[in-house]
């Protein structure tokens, strides 16, 4: 039994979502792929996939096994590619990315990246849920904030400032906060997926805030603050349109918090594939020319 073939069929079925699509990609046909995955499950004595008429879904054991299978297949691919330096980056690259950052700055560059590297398939996993690179099969993750996991390595690709903003309508109704402590007497829009919860960092102090609206989407924060619901705190680039057209005002600008890094993370003890390196270099170059993501660069260096 060729276990490498079985693992390849399993991984491709997961990535395409069906035995039929995997069979077309691999030139094996749907019946063979289904049979090979069943043989793999029999070999490991574990159900890896839930089958239905509409889709395939990984079992919890399948999720863990897929991450290891993907690592093995990538390592084999990299080993072969290392002997052929002229071979262009290729294969499937899974990248996790926060929602707002993806829509504002990553997706606009995707067509150029795919044109430059026609051999790469990009699976961009957009969402604000924490993706575990060790267990979930993604090769890279773009994250906002400082690295805390010692099993990962990081490459910084940008820096930005966080600001407090409110609509002119809200300020006319409720007044303007003059110090961070004043925020405790205002309706603050709480972004529930923020790692610090309902605590905002302003200058060298942390302020516990509250309000009548809690949301789990940066876009919802953006829309709510423009609608006059309350005060928002987040990346300046998220509110730039409102600040530019005058519908939003900057608040507490003398209490500027530390700059926040944007980083690409990868697992420390895994060999990075050529496609991962290509993506890291590409997106780092792309971000370097965006002023909103280069807050720590001198003006003549942007």
């Amino acid at each position: 039994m060729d276990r490498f073939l079985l693992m390849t069929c399993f991984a491709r079925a997961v990535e395409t979502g069906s035995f039929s699509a995997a069979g077309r990609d691999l030139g094996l046909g749907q019946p063979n792929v289904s049979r090979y995955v069943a043989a793999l499950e029999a070999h490991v004595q574990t159900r890896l996939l839930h089958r239905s008429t509409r889709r395939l879904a990984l079992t919890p054991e399948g999720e863990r096994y897929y991450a290891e299978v993907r690592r093995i297949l990538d390592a084999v691919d990299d080993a072969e590619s290392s002997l052929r330096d002229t071979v262009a980056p290729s294969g499937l690259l899974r990248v996790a990315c926060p929602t707002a950052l993806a829509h504002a700055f990553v997706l606009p560059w995707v067509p150029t990246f795919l044109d430059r590297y026609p051999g790469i398939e990009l699976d961009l996993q957009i969402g604000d849920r924490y993706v575990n690179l060790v267990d979930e099969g993604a090769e890279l993750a773009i994250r906002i904030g400082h690295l805390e996991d010692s099993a990962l390595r990081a490459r910084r690709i940008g820096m930005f400032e966080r600001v407090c903003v409110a609509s002119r309508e809200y300020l006319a109704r409720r007044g303007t906060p003059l110090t961070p402590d004043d925020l405790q007497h205002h309706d603050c829009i709480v972004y529930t997926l923020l790692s610090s919860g309902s605590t905002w960092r302003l200058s060298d102090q942390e302020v516990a805030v509250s309000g009548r609206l809690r949301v789990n989407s940066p876009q919802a924060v953006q829309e709510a603050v423009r609608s006059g619901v309350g005060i928002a705190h987040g990346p300046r680039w998220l509110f730039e349109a409102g600040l530019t057209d005058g519908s939003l005002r900057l608040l507490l600008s003398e209490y500027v918090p530390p700059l926040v890094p944007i980083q690409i993370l990868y697992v420390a003890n895994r060999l990075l594939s050529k496609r991962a390196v290509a993506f890291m270099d590409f997106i780092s170059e792309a971000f370097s020319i965006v002023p909103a993501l280069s807050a720590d660069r001198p003006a003549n260096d942007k």
Side-chain angles (χ1 to χ4, degrees), residues 88-236:
S90 63
L92 178 68
L93 176 64
R94 290 175 179 259
V95 181
C97 184
T99 306
L101 198 67
H103 287 283
F105 302 112
V106 178
L107 283 171
W109 285 100
V110 165
T112 304
F113 176 76
L114 295 178
D115 284 345
R116 184 176 298 181
Y117 299 102
I120 294 179
E121 298 175 56
L122 182 62
D123 181 354
L124 191 60
Q125 302 177 349
I126 298 173
D128 297 315
R129 179 182 68 85
Y130 178 88
V131 174
N132 188 319
L133 289 179
V134 176
D135 297 331
E136 297 191 42
E139 197 165 353
L140 301 173
I142 301 176
R143 288 197 188 142
I144 292 171
H146 296 278
L147 176 63
E148 296 179 357
D149 190 338
S150 61
L152 304 177
R153 292 289 181 270
R155 175 174 174 179
R156 199 185 80 185
I157 57 175
M159 295 283 280
F160 65 87
E161 60 177 337
R162 288 189 182 275
V163 296
C164 277
V165 299
S167 70
R168 294 182 180 276
E169 173 196 350
Y170 175 87
L171 296 174
R173 188 173 72 248
R174 295 289 303 274
T176 302
L178 301 178
T179 69
D181 288 337
D182 291 344
L183 292 173
Q184 298 176 54
H185 308 294
H186 281 266
D187 272 326
C188 295
I189 302 165
V190 177
Y191 174 50
T192 56
L193 295 183
L194 190 67
S195 59
S196 59
S198 57
T199 300
W200 293 355
R201 178 79 181 274
L202 293 167
S203 188
D204 58 352
Q205 68 182 101
E206 295 183 343
V207 181
V209 299
S210 61
R212 291 179 293 163
L213 179 64
R214 301 169 64 86
V215 295
N216 64 352
S217 159
Q219 285 87 347
V221 173
Q222 180 187 60
E223 292 170 15
V225 72
R226 294 196 72 159
S227 298
V229 172
I231 296 174
H233 182 245
R236 181 177 178 124

Side-chain angles (χ1 to χ4, degrees), residues 2-3 9 36 61 75 108 132 135 153 162 205-206 219 235 245 252-253 278 292-293:
D2 185 345
R3 271 188 281 170
C9 289
Y36 291 152
E61 294 79 11
N132 188 319
D135 297 331
R153 292 289 181 270
R162 288 189 182 275
Q205 68 182 101
E206 295 183 343
Q219 285 87 347
D245 67 24
L252 305 171
S253 55
L293 304 182

Side-chain angles (χ1 to χ4, degrees), residues 101 106 141-143 154-159 261-264 279-281 283-290 293-294 296-297:
L101 198 67
V106 178
I142 301 176
R143 288 197 188 142
R155 175 174 174 179
R156 199 185 80 185
I157 57 175
M159 295 283 280
I262 303 171
Q263 308 190 88
I264 297 186
F279 182 85
M280 291 172 69
D281 290 344
I283 210 67
S284 178
E285 180 182 352
F287 277 27
S288 71
I289 62 174
V290 179
L293 304 182
S294 307
D296 63 331
R297 297 171 184 263

Side-chain angles (χ1 to χ4, degrees), residues 39-118:
L40 180 62
E41 290 177 319
H43 175 72
V44 298
Q45 299 182 346
T46 303
R47 173 63 66 90
L48 302 174
L49 291 170
H50 293 302
R51 282 92 160 158
S52 74
T53 56
R54 292 186 176 182
R55 61 189 292 269
L56 300 174
L58 284 166
T59 64
E61 294 79 11
E63 289 183 4
R64 294 194 297 271
Y65 189 67
Y66 170 74
E68 291 304 312
V69 164
R70 188 70 263 168
R71 180 179 62 81
I72 291 168
L73 296 178
D74 287 344
V76 171
D77 182 57
D78 292 338
E80 293 177 349
S81 295
S82 68
L83 301 176
R84 304 189 299 272
D85 290 339
T86 58
V87 174
S90 63
L92 178 68
L93 176 64
R94 290 175 179 259
V95 181
C97 184
T99 306
L101 198 67
H103 287 283
F105 302 112
V106 178
L107 283 171
W109 285 100
V110 165
T112 304
F113 176 76
L114 295 178
D115 284 345
R116 184 176 298 181
Y117 299 102

